[in-house]
Amino acid sequence: MRVVIIGQGYVGLTIAVGAASAGHIVIGFDVNKELVENLNLGKSHIEGISDTQLGEFLSVGRFSASANPSTLEGSDVIVIAVPTPLDLDRNPDLSFVHSAADLIKQEVKTSALIINESTSYPGTLRNEIAPRIRGVEHLFASSPERVDPGNIHWGTKNTPRLIGGLTPAAVAKAREFYGSFCDTIIEVSSPEVAEAAKIFENTFRQVNIALVNEFAQIADALGISGREVLDAAATKPYGFMEFKPGPGVGGHCIPVDPTYLAHVANEVGVPATFIKRANEVNLAMPAYVVKRVVAGAGGSIKGKKVVVVGVSYKSNVADTRETPAAAIIDLLREQGASVTWHDHLVGTWRGEASSPINAADIAVVVTKHDGVDVTAIQACGYVFDCTGSIAGVDGI
Ligand SMILES: NC(=O)c1ccc[n+]([C@@H]2O[C@H](COP(=O)([O-])OP(=O)(O)OC[C@H]3O[C@@H](n4cnc5c(N)ncnc54)[C@H](O)[C@@H]3O)[C@@H](O)[C@H]2O)c1
């Protein structure tokens, strides 16, 4: 099949490589010209896809990147994989999805299967995408992406794929497409079920992370180790699933997607109380971390040299979107500390460069990547670890 993927970020490039590996001719379309140039030079920008892998598909003509909208025409399959963030008022921002749909309407005059993989609330395919692409008899399906960047056990091939279509023909064609590179296809009765399943999965994580974050605070106040309690509870072989506390939630999914569900819940008059409360708890974690750091460092951090270790939102990825490290650094600075950060994967961020750990007065470990110098962290005067992976120091 000739496949065009709109958006070549974490999701789009991952799917592009999956589809190319199945023998399809894939064009990765993106509005970011620099990204397109780099992809065509065989430079991958995401973990899990190597330059070598990309180079191999480029050399045999199974993958190419383009910023030219005319490449959309003549495709069998068009996949939408663009951002679905929150706006400044924390409401769903579907502007990227809308512009992708408008682009298809403008450029594509022959029938294709149009799939939305971007995460959004139920009704997005039917009400926000399909009506904008009238005039050609396209097939429409929703297959929300579940990729977990950096996860070496679960990838595009072995993560079961949900499909919901506007018509049985759309479902059949989507099954044919995904069946060529995914092991397990699960058809659901409508696109709305597929869309809702994805945001419920992320809401489940958001709420449970908030629960353990709150519990970690209760346990600390009681003078017991929250992590030891959670590990002990996890020995129960049924009816319990272990989540780990941390400095908050980050990335493009867990802090964002539940609010999409809350938005539609609000529209149909059902209060999404768990989502609201979980957001409050998770967003308050940076302040809790800084409060503990100040207390642990003797009541004041004014003038102290603080290094924040790991600023991406999770280990072994360079993604800093929605990272709690941002609020932690800002709050530490508000307390008068002189703050640098260290993250060899991120390199530069918010106009600042990664600094060495260098025996600071205080180290706050937000994220711990493989290969980080733990001895250098332990050489700092006071260490607060949000990851639960450094023995013998304070932390969550
Ligand atoms: N990152 C994840 O872990 C993850 C996992 C599952 C689902 N998702 C969902 O997938 C979607 C995409 O997320 P992502 O992480 O890949 O985002 P991303 O920011 O990494 O990539 C999106 C890409 O789309 C491009 N783009 C924006 N508007 C465009 C347009 N009109 N035409 C062409 N390209 C356009 C951007 O330049 C960017 O390169 C979101 O809905 C997200 O919630 C993300």
Side-chain angles (χ1 to χ4, degrees):
M1 296 180 192
R2 183 180 192 276
V3 180
V4 172
I5 318 247
I6 304 180
Q8 286 295 281
Y10 278 87
V11 166
L13 186 58
T14 306
I15 291 302
V17 165
S21 67
H24 302 300
I25 306 296
V26 182
I27 295 117
F29 174 80
D30 204 291
V31 288
N32 180 340
K33 292 201 169 93
E34 193 187 334
L35 172 64
V36 165
E37 275 169 27
N38 282 330
L39 291 176
N40 281 330
L41 291 171
K43 290 186 197 159
S44 166
H45 65 111
I46 65 170
E47 301 83 16
I49 293 175
S50 67
D51 293 356
T52 318
Q53 202 179 9
L54 205 56
E56 278 167 16
F57 291 128
L58 281 162
S59 65
V60 294
R62 272 198 261 150
F63 174 77
S64 59
S66 177
N68 181 354
S70 68
T71 52
L72 268 71
E73 175 58 2
S75 313
D76 299 296
V77 178
I78 299 174
V79 177
I80 300 173
V82 294
T84 44
L86 298 175
D87 64 18
L88 291 176
D89 299 322
R90 291 188 63 79
N91 288 317
D93 173 5
L94 285 185
S95 59
F96 298 93
V97 169
H98 288 156
S99 57
D102 293 346
L103 193 73
I104 296 170
K105 157 89 179 152
Q106 193 183 305
E107 299 293 332
V108 184
K109 306 299 173 206
T110 51
S111 177
L113 168 66
I114 292 162
I115 303 169
N116 182 37
E117 287 209 21
S118 307
T119 307
S120 185
Y121 50 74
T124 298
L125 182 76
R126 194 183 300 274
N127 304 324
E128 304 289 339
I129 296 177
R132 296 178 93 97
I133 317 178
R134 289 210 182 88
V136 180
E137 283 293 302
H138 294 301
L139 299 173
F140 289 95
S142 168
S143 184
E145 180 54 57
R146 294 162 142 177
V147 67
D148 180 17
N151 191 326
I152 52 171
H153 301 294
W154 296 102
T156 311
K157 187 171 187 307
N158 65 352
T159 303
R161 182 156 281 278
L162 298 177
I163 293 176
L166 285 188
T167 56
V171 175
K173 184 86 179 165
R175 174 180 270 283
E176 187 191 342
F177 172 58
Y178 287 113
S180 64
F181 59 97
C182 300
D183 295 341
T184 311
I185 310 292
I186 296 155
E187 288 179 20
V188 293
S189 61
S190 68
E192 286 76 13
V193 171
E195 291 163 333
K198 162 73 189 181
I199 44 177
F200 185 70
E201 289 160 18
N202 287 351
T203 301
F204 175 83
R205 283 186 60 73
Q206 178 230 21
V207 169
N208 278 286
I209 291 168
L211 180 64
V212 290
N213 280 341
E214 190 168 76
F215 177 70
Q217 298 175 53
I218 297 168
D220 184 66
L222 290 172
I224 51 177
S225 160
R227 285 184 189 266
E228 190 182 352
V229 174
L230 293 169
D231 287 347
T235 61
K236 185 181 176 186
Y238 54 89
F240 185 80
M241 184 180 281
E242 190 171 14
F243 284 80
K244 307 278 191 192
V249 287
H252 192 9
C253 293
I254 310 300
V256 174
D257 302 348
T259 301
Y260 273 65
L261 183 55
H263 170 82
V264 279
N266 187 42
E267 283 192 338
V268 292
V270 182
T273 53
F274 281 87
I275 294 172
K276 184 171 178 289
R277 182 68 194 127
N279 271 334
E280 285 165 359
V281 171
N282 290 333
L283 286 168
M285 285 310 285
Y288 173 71
V289 169
V290 173
K291 190 177 96 183
R292 290 275 310 275
V293 170
V294 171
S300 171
I301 56 170
K302 199 161 192 249
K304 296 264 170 69
K305 281 192 183 148
V306 181
V307 60
V308 170
V309 180
V311 296
S312 66
Y313 81 95
K314 72 170 177 177
S315 59
N316 301 325
V317 302
D319 191 348
T320 53
R321 287 177 294 182
E322 313 283 333
T323 177
I328 289 173
I329 290 172
D330 293 347
L331 292 169
L332 290 166
R333 285 180 177 153
E334 275 175 28
Q335 296 282 327
S338 163
V339 186
T340 56
W341 55 267
H342 172 81
D343 193 316
H344 66 281
L345 292 184
V346 171
T348 54
W349 172 61
R350 302 204 301 176
E352 295 172 18
S354 171
S355 302
I357 296 169
N358 267 358
D361 300 319
I362 298 167
V364 181
V365 184
V366 170
T367 299
K368 189 160 149 281
H369 302 309
D370 291 349
V372 74
D373 188 349
V374 176
T375 314
I377 295 171
Q378 284 166 327
C380 296
Y382 171 74
V383 180
F384 189 86
D385 176 24
C386 303
T387 70
S389 58
I390 301 177
V393 299
D394 262 1
I396 306 173

